[in-house]
Amino acid sequence: DVKVTQSSRYLVKRTGEKVFLECVQDMDHENMFWYRQDPGLGLRLIYFSYDVKMKEKGDIPEGYSVSREKKERFSLILESASTNQTSMYLCASSLPGDQPQHFGDGTRLSIL
Amino acid sequence: AQSVTQLGSHVSVSEGALVLLRCNYSSSVPPYLFWYVQYPNQGLQLLLKYTSAATLVKGINGFEAEFKKSETSFHLTKPSAHMSDAAEYFCAAALTDDKIIFGKGTRLHILP
């Protein structure tokens, strides 16, 4: 079974802090994705990556950056956290093509 | 525009009754379709996927979905609801650039 592991289930940070959310997958998937999930808005794509050291902006990249130094690890960075970034963050990975994505359990991030 | 639409943000059924969750996709979306389930405070789990091998797709936990091209629909059904089916369900479609577009989700409530 594919395992996507997100480093924290719950995280509380303060406004202005730099925040790192880590995601690791163990199935050698090329593609990795970061979403945020908010009530009534569904899943919105922040960034994605098709390979090591490459990244593509999703629908809502503002205020975020990513890093993919190794194939199995995809990090989401909040450069200067703001209260409107309080949300559930979901990481996913997939093989290329019309393949389903496999999700981690999510990180519920609160910015105070 | 490419879109996936789920009818009804909340659906309530009695335990033992038929579950029907509706999903329609825009005709511009390639017909690679999925249903995911999300239990509270967890990530998304793949229920089933349509791969064009058969129009009726069986998934986990007794769910199935029927692909109807003429209606651009991919509704999810289960003959008899169980309390453990209470969750949020997402219909999704794979796009040509390896991304997935999600519906807004339907929260299923099971009444005792």
Side-chain angles (χ1 to χ4, degrees), chain A:
Chain A
D1 259 2
V2 176
K3 183 75 173 172
V4 179
T5 303
Q6 295 184 230
S7 54
S8 304
R9 293 296 305 274
Y10 301 93
L11 205 54
V12 180
K13 296 290 183 181
R14 296 205 174 276
T15 305
E17 280 192 71
K18 190 169 187 176
V19 181
F20 293 85
L21 302 184
E22 306 287 346
C23 175
V24 177
Q25 51 96 1
D26 66 357
M27 283 301 290
D28 205 34
H29 284 174
E30 282 79 2
N31 300 335
M32 296 190 76
F33 307 84
W34 275 106
Y35 297 89
R36 64 177 284 177
Q37 183 180 19
D38 300 287
L41 299 178
L43 276 75
R44 292 181 291 169
L45 182 63
I46 305 171
Y47 267 96
F48 59 103
S49 169
Y50 292 135
D51 203 349
V52 177
K53 293 194 185 296
M54 71 84 56
K55 58 188 178 185
E56 297 281 346
K57 291 180 180 179
D59 301 317
I60 52 162
E62 296 78 20
Y64 303 95
S65 63
V66 290
S67 172
R68 194 166 181 200
E69 296 296 318
K70 294 185 177 181
K71 190 175 185 179
E72 67 271 18
R73 185 180 297 270
F74 193 36
S75 304
L76 179 69
I77 303 155
L78 286 66
E79 297 290 343
S80 177
S82 65
T83 54
N84 62 13
Q85 292 178 310
T86 291
S87 186
M88 170 72 116
Y89 289 88
L90 293 167
C91 175
S93 71
S94 75
L95 290 168
D98 53 340
Q99 298 300 314
Q101 293 177 11
H102 300 267
F103 285 81
D105 282 337
T107 295
R108 191 167 293 280
L109 176 65
S110 296
I111 306 296
L112 305 179

Side-chain angles (χ1 to χ4, degrees), chain A residues 9-10 31 33 35 37 40-43 45 48 50 90 96-101 103-105 108, chain B residues 32 34 36 38 40-46 49 88 90 94-95 97-100 102-105:
Chain A
R9 293 296 305 274
Y10 301 93
N31 300 335
F33 307 84
Y35 297 89
Q37 183 180 19
L41 299 178
L43 276 75
L45 182 63
F48 59 103
Y50 292 135
L90 293 167
D98 53 340
Q99 298 300 314
Q101 293 177 11
F103 285 81
D105 282 337
R108 191 167 293 280
Chain B
Y32 301 112
F34 313 98
Y36 285 85
Q38 185 180 31
N41 294 316
Q42 293 187 22
L44 277 66
Q45 178 183 355
L46 183 68
K49 63 178 180 179
E88 189 156 22
F90 292 90
L95 303 178
D97 56 359
D98 291 6
K99 292 191 288 186
I100 287 181
F102 290 88
K104 289 281 186 347

